[in-house]
Amino acid sequence: MKRIAVLSSGGDSPGFNPCIRAVVRQGLDYGMDVFGVERGYIGLIQGRFRQLNARSVGGIIGRGGTFLGTARSEEFKTALGQREAIRNLNVNGIEGLVVIGGDGSFRGAQALHERGVKVVGIPGTIDNDIPYTDMSIGADTALNTALDAIDKIKDTASSHRRAFIIETMGHESGYLALIAGLAGGAEIILVPEIETKLETIVADLQDSYTRGKNHFIIVAAEGWKPGTQALASHLRERQEELGFPVRVTVLGYVQRGGSPSAFDRLLATRLGAAAVAALHSGESGVMVGLIGNKIQTTLLSKVVKQNKSLDMSFYELAKVLEK
Ligand code: F6P
């Protein structure tokens, strides 16, 4: 294989840049020409390719975001969009494609594979909701960002004797809320995967107040229902019985940005190099992931069919420790 391209797709996460850097430099090491595609599948449809050399990816290892840009493309979900993308790959003589992204990006990659394009996926999302990899690129940095916020808010919560609801990202996945909540010593963790009744939260708050706690930290994923604002209203209505006044902090997009952690840089670097090695050895329709401490490949067709379930042992542990 002489010519490959790399694109980043879907929601960005810290570590996309070091991943692109590894793809480019590993490709150059194999004697390949490496191209970057701007703005994910949109750029593929529009033929926005840029040849990259070792210097093009210099100085980006510690930068958040993705210098190639990223996007979510509705057009690429159509047969016409996919045919246009394949045409552009052919016109530019590109024989292999690396796709960095999450679930939606992998559906696109699998569609290309089924149409004969050689493609390898790399999991990158702060939600860490991709199966067949213990960690996705960006999740560790996002966790540390959320944890830093929890620690800081706890200072105010205990100084003022307040309850805080801290909302993390994760529209369908409770991973960030669960792990940041556990590591941050939260009193309650609310995730979309587990139903928690408002009454249970009220009872826990009352119990903590009675036991003499001077703060109460609730970490809630954005996808938990009925949602952070509904919970806040409910708690405010019952403030007299609770003891703690309630405040809300929505962490939002700060979790998606920032310099990637050492873990994410290393993961991104290993996965980027492994994806190019997979293309080099003729593999296609696979995702490279971290299982245990080994880089392993899994068929994309398997990856896109499954949801990654939350590790309930962490949830149980958090419940034991929230005394
Ligand atoms: O998929 C990652 C994620 O951060 C989700 O947790 C969040 O709901 C979503 O992206 C928001 O993405 P955007 O606003 O960029 O579409």
Side-chain angles (χ1 to χ4, degrees):
M1 190 171 285
K2 288 299 293 173
R3 253 181 186 214
I4 64 167
V6 56
L7 63 81
S8 46
S9 164
D12 67 323
S13 71
F16 275 26
N17 275 328
C19 189
I20 296 164
R21 172 181 178 272
V23 168
V24 171
R25 292 191 177 172
Q26 180 65 77
L28 295 175
D29 197 62
Y30 284 134
M32 297 167 165
D33 292 331
V34 187
F35 290 75
V37 186
E38 291 168 8
R39 300 197 63 219
Y41 291 124
I42 290 182
L44 210 52
I45 292 171
Q46 296 174 350
R48 288 160 66 165
F49 297 92
R50 228 203 280 177
Q51 187 160 6
L52 302 172
N53 59 33
R55 295 286 69 74
S56 325
V57 291
I60 64 169
I61 198 165
R63 282 191 6 222
T66 160
F67 86 103
L68 288 176
T70 186
R72 303 186 199 274
S73 169
E74 283 306 310
E75 198 183 350
F76 190 71
K77 291 180 184 158
T78 67
L80 193 63
Q82 288 168 16
R83 279 182 41 218
E84 197 58 29
I86 293 170
R87 185 172 185 277
N88 284 324
L89 287 168
N90 290 334
V91 166
N92 287 279
I94 289 163
E95 301 158 276
L97 180 68
V98 175
V99 172
I100 309 165
D103 187 50
S105 312
F106 290 164
R107 282 176 209 286
Q110 174 63 15
L112 286 178
H113 169 70
E114 285 168 10
R115 289 174 181 270
V117 176
K118 293 222 177 296
V119 55
V120 174
I122 301 179
T125 164
I126 65 163
D127 289 349
N128 203 27
D129 58 351
I130 308 292
Y132 299 102
T133 186
D134 296 341
M135 290 296 278
S136 292
I137 296 168
D140 180 69
T141 308
L143 268 178
N144 282 297
T145 301
L147 186 59
D148 182 49
I150 293 169
D151 286 346
K152 285 176 173 153
I153 288 169
K154 207 186 252 190
D155 290 344
T156 297
S158 49
S159 301
H160 283 266
R161 296 178 177 257
R162 284 176 182 165
F164 265 87
I165 306 170
I166 304 170
E167 185 186 290
T168 67
M169 272 194 160
H171 58 311
E172 280 165 9
S173 160
Y175 177 84
L176 268 184
L178 175 57
I179 304 301
L182 177 59
E187 274 65 39
I188 286 198
I189 298 167
L190 304 171
V191 292
E193 294 88 341
I194 300 166
E195 191 191 347
T196 309
K197 296 208 171 355
L198 293 179
E199 279 319 301
T200 310
I201 302 167
V202 168
D204 261 32
L205 257 154
Q206 288 171 329
D207 187 46
S208 293
Y209 187 79
T210 313
R211 281 187 285 121
K213 282 214 167 198
N214 63 1
H215 66 262
F216 194 89
I217 301 289
I218 301 169
V219 177
E222 66 172 317
W224 173 76
K225 298 278 181 294
T228 305
Q229 297 307 334
L231 172 61
S233 309
H234 186 79
L235 296 182
R236 284 194 182 114
E237 278 162 21
R238 303 184 57 175
Q239 195 164 303
E240 295 302 305
E241 312 159 45
L242 300 177
F244 296 114
V246 178
R247 296 288 189 274
V248 179
T249 299
V250 177
L251 300 182
Y253 290 90
V254 293
Q255 296 159 102
R256 285 253 290 262
S259 179
S261 65
F263 180 91
D264 275 327
R265 293 184 199 195
L266 192 61
L267 179 66
T269 299
R270 291 175 78 191
L271 293 181
V276 180
L279 282 177
H280 185 65
S281 62
E283 283 188 82
S284 177
V286 294
M287 178 192 83
V288 288
L290 182 75
I291 302 178
N293 196 25
K294 292 212 162 45
I295 305 296
Q296 301 199 18
T297 55
T298 307
L299 287 176
L300 277 172
S301 57
K302 267 174 84 173
V303 175
V304 296
K305 264 197 212 103
Q306 274 186 39
N307 289 323
K308 185 177 189 173
S309 48
L310 208 57
D311 186 339
M312 289 304 291
S313 67
F314 285 124
Y315 186 78
E316 298 307 332
L317 182 59
K319 286 202 87 57
V320 170
L321 301 183
E322 68 193 19
K323 295 270 180 289

